[in-house]
Amino acid sequence: MKLHNFNSGPSILPQQVLEQASQAIFNFNNTGLSILEIGHRTKWFVDVLEEAKQLVKEILQLNNDYEILFLQGGATTQFMQIPLNLLDANETAAYCDNGIWGSKAIKEASVFGNANIVTSSKDKGYTYINKNFAIPTNSKYLHITSNNTVEGTQWFNFPTTTVPIVVDMSSDIFSRPLNYNQFSLIYAGAQKNMGAAGVTLVIVKKEILGKVSRKISPILDYKTHIEAASLLNTPPVFAIYVALLTLRWIKQEGGLQEMEKRSLQKSELLYNTIDSLPLFNCPINKEDRSRMNAVFFIEDEKLQNNFLEQCTTNGMIGVKGYRTVGGIRVSMYNALAYESVVAFTNLMKNFANKNG
Ligand code: PMP
């Protein structure tokens, strides 16, 4: 049976990346050694790192104000590392509370300074993105989660502000063209659109660093990582290599324009199907619906469980909603083929015909 991988992360990767990565486990670049066996300070790996950084800059069209870092600890560590590096104890940062991941970032920020929630969609179960809210100009930075992986909302217009914008793009990085130079810090765990778990991409504008009075432990200081060119200690060599392969794939396929075109085709097919079948209900405000993660429900819980069982029987992997949200979640990252969404929507239609 053909499997359709709708996992929310770690998630589907391009077949070509999997093949090249497995090849490199046995023989990396015809060196006769495995990628798992080479030193991180060898020219071989330094070249991997440099090409990966270059591709990040090229694909996102970043100007020279940015440093590219490959760090460890997941996006969750960034929830802490960002305020540690940017927010003094007597200062305030503005946070958008649009979902579970953003609220975790808020908790971490409050450990280091003041986290001011400037907008929250918690009142309606995080089903929308509020676009009209004030950002106090004395905020040290504004934190946004560009795609709410769990709730299924996404930002399509970012605020225009003089306050530096920090954005968690863990679940929609490399999925669409944007002016990435409008952000002062972008971070993303790799395990969705960028490769394997184990590495976190951090893109930071140099000018925002070095402005807090506290001492920062070198391993958590962005500046030390910049000086060491992401080689402060042993980096996750294999995960960075898989990220490089995925970045090459994105470029080869046509870059962000092409990724966006595909994600529009996939998400439109899915949302149109949901809206055409009364059995399924997507509570997310239409204009805020995520192109990466669609979250929807069948009201009758028994019927919903029945549908989820049918998904398993038919090879639809990873479509059970997040544990605190429930329902159905279909993730449509870059590597997911349109045909998988066709197969899924056919299953939805058949199920609705029998049970609607
Ligand atoms: N932010 C977002 C938007 C996420 O989707 C996730 C994980 N799914 C995280 C942060 C946490 O990432 P990690 O598990 O890499 O710490």
Side-chain angles (χ1 to χ4, degrees), residues 37-309:
E37 298 174 319
I38 60 167
H40 59 290
R41 297 192 193 278
T42 57
K43 180 170 180 336
W44 295 324
F45 183 67
V46 171
D47 286 350
V48 166
L49 202 52
E50 286 312 309
E51 187 186 343
K53 285 182 192 171
Q54 211 37 55
L55 278 172
V56 169
K57 278 196 170 174
E58 185 184 328
I59 293 170
L60 300 181
Q61 294 186 15
L62 294 168
N63 65 33
N64 290 330
D65 296 343
Y66 294 89
E67 292 287 346
I68 315 292
L69 298 173
F70 292 100
L71 304 180
Q72 301 187 61
T76 305
T77 299
Q78 293 311 309
F79 297 163
M80 168 273 291
Q81 206 168 344
I82 287 161
L84 174 71
N85 279 265
L86 303 183
L87 186 64
D88 254 330
N90 58 351
E91 292 176 324
T92 301
Y95 273 77
C96 300
D97 173 32
N98 291 126
I100 177 170
W101 295 114
S103 63
K104 285 179 197 274
I106 292 167
K107 262 198 201 137
E108 285 285 353
S110 342
V111 172
F112 298 96
N114 304 305
N116 174 21
I117 300 177
V118 285
T119 175
S120 173
S121 52
K122 200 173 181 180
D123 57 340
K124 290 188 182 154
Y126 293 128
T127 52
Y128 70 103
I129 303 281
N130 179 17
K131 288 119 208 151
N132 289 315
F133 58 93
I135 306 157
T137 48
N138 64 348
S139 310
K140 199 68 190 289
Y141 59 85
L142 168 72
H143 182 280
I144 294 176
T145 312
S146 58
N147 184 71
N148 292 288
T149 328
V150 168
E151 296 81 5
T153 59
Q154 192 171 14
W155 286 72
F156 295 102
N157 291 298
F158 292 87
T160 309
T161 171
T162 52
V163 174
I165 303 178
V166 170
V167 61
D168 175 359
M169 288 200 176
S170 291
S171 51
D172 66 351
I173 187 96
F174 301 120
S175 69
R176 53 179 169 164
L178 280 177
N179 171 16
Y180 289 90
N181 296 298
Q182 71 187 296
F183 306 113
S184 293
L185 191 151
I186 301 169
Y187 66 104
Q191 64 270 23
K192 298 165 203 311
N193 270 339
M194 216 184 105
V199 63
T200 310
L201 173 67
V202 176
I203 300 166
V204 60
K205 231 182 200 171
K206 282 166 276 187
E207 67 181 32
I208 64 168
L209 300 177
K211 293 188 177 165
V212 286
S213 55
R214 76 169 60 85
K215 277 190 175 169
I216 304 173
S217 163
I219 190 68
L220 293 174
D221 190 339
Y222 293 128
K223 282 171 72 186
T224 6
H225 283 283
I226 292 170
E227 281 154 24
S230 287
L231 285 170
L232 186 62
N233 62 335
T234 315
V237 170
F238 186 62
I240 293 174
Y241 184 62
V242 179
L244 169 63
L245 296 176
T246 311
L247 290 163
R248 281 184 190 158
W249 176 83
I250 293 170
K251 184 179 170 185
Q252 162 207 315
E253 294 295 302
L256 300 189
Q257 266 83 10
E258 181 62 25
M259 295 301 124
E260 181 176 56
K261 193 177 123 203
R262 293 178 190 179
S263 93
L264 271 168
Q265 284 169 341
K266 290 180 281 186
S267 55
E268 278 174 8
L269 173 62
L270 181 59
Y271 286 120
N272 287 341
T273 310
I274 295 169
D275 292 340
S276 70
L277 300 169
L279 181 66
F280 295 95
N281 168 40
C282 174
I284 307 299
N285 192 21
K286 276 198 176 160
E287 63 181 34
D288 304 322
R289 288 177 173 180
S290 165
R291 295 178 195 157
M292 297 285 111
N293 315 91
V295 175
F296 54 104
F297 300 83
I298 296 177
E299 211 172 301
D300 181 327
E301 212 177 316
K302 241 173 114 183
L303 214 52
Q304 183 167 275
N305 287 337
N306 190 340
F307 177 72
L308 288 170
E309 272 169 33

